[in-house]
Amino acid sequence: MEGAEPYETLRAVPGIEERQAERLAKLRAWRCGDRVHRTLAAVTAAAGGDDNLLPPMKEALAAGATVGEVCDALRAAWGPHAPPARPLGTV
């Protein structure tokens, strides 16, 4: 893009992906899967209505749900984010 400032590509630290996968596997082994599924269903239900999302989100995270799983629960109710279409050249 013209006028865009240059940026430096982020490079992951070697081995970080493996360490994160290990941490995720430990979390999933520790948590109660039924409780996680139940609390994520509550997040989806709250997102589909007028309920406050914070209490069910906090409960899901406390149960061991990941941020990605909470986001999936929200997408189940709202669908994926689609930015508004803008004419080319506008900001």
Side-chain angles (χ1 to χ4, degrees):
M1 286 175 38
E2 278 187 44
E5 292 186 28
Y7 63 92
E8 189 175 326
T9 303
L10 176 66
R11 304 274 183 222
V13 177
I16 200 164
E17 186 177 347
E18 292 82 13
R19 287 193 301 272
Q20 187 62 16
E22 289 171 7
R23 291 177 62 205
L24 183 58
K26 286 179 184 176
L27 171 70
R28 288 186 171 152
W30 165 83
R31 69 187 190 179
C32 173
D34 290 340
R35 181 174 174 219
V36 171
H37 290 296
R38 189 173 55 252
T39 57
L40 289 171
V43 171
T44 301
D50 294 329
D51 293 342
N52 184 344
L53 282 171
L54 288 182
M57 286 175 70
K58 284 175 61 177
E59 212 173 307
L61 293 167
T66 66
V67 172
E69 290 170 327
V70 171
C71 291
D72 288 342
L74 295 173
R75 277 190 286 274
W78 298 336
H81 173 69
R86 296 184 198 155
L88 289 175
T90 62
V91 177

